[in-house]
Amino acid sequence: MRLRRPPSRGDAIRRPPADASGRVGPVCAGFALALLMLGCKEAGRAEGSPPEPAVSQVLDAFVVAPAIGSPAAMYLTVTNPSDAPDMLTTVETAAAERAELHRTVEHGAMLHMAPAGAIELPARGQIRLEPGGYHVMLVGTRAALSPGDTIEAALILGRGGRVDFRACVVTYQALAEGPGGSAGCASDH
């Protein structure tokens, strides 16, 4: 017979009951392991923190070939598969000195472009950057943009991070012809 010291008030470790051989039973060990795994999983996520963002996609991205010395307009559609809204904050590309988010506004009988700031991307929704609305202006293109060329760019989202994509260069004539006019001009994402 083995004598055990009775637990004192100062004991910080509680041991699970042992079987006759002095080993912890497999059910107790399995239960302890499950609790440990659950604790580790939950430790990585703060209480009430938003879910991990789903990866947004860029669809139908294209740039209209500009006149010499003029800025180029970029149009695209951004989808948000997440259950939470996001914000399109900036666009980056090495093809231009800067890429600015703009919108078309009516001032009297005239249409003007104005800086847009961040654009809200609704949960499980999309935004279309299109002629007459939101768009990206590529200011100071670093090389001539010719129809059929592609440029690499990235959207920077508030929650969703960076989304890389490619945009095809088209002419204003192809744009006027509608969706078929930019056929063969598919973006990667």
Side-chain angles (χ1 to χ4, degrees), residues 7-102:
S8 68
R9 292 184 70 179
D11 285 347
I13 301 175
R14 303 272 188 242
R15 290 190 167 63
D19 62 13
S21 66
R23 294 180 301 193
V24 175
V27 173
C28 290
F31 182 69
L33 181 61
L35 284 176
L36 178 64
M37 290 172 59
L38 179 62
C40 289
K41 178 181 176 187
E42 294 302 315
R45 185 165 35 127
E47 185 84 19
S49 65
E52 288 295 316
V55 177
S56 293
Q57 288 186 317
V58 175
L59 307 170
D60 306 322
F62 62 95
V63 174
V64 179
I68 305 277
S70 298
M74 177 188 288
Y75 305 104
L76 52 100
T77 300
V78 187
T79 64
N80 177 9
S82 170
D83 289 329
D86 207 339
M87 295 295 284
L88 170 56
T89 59
T90 56
V91 178
E92 296 177 349
T93 181
E97 290 175 17
R98 28 180 229 280
E100 302 173 352
L101 291 171
H102 282 202

Side-chain angles (χ1 to χ4, degrees), residues 127-148:
I127 53 174
R128 295 180 59 86
L129 281 67
E130 58 191 352
Y134 288 112
H135 55 279
V136 178
M137 290 306 301
L138 302 178
V139 181
T141 54
R142 299 192 191 281
L145 299 177
S146 301

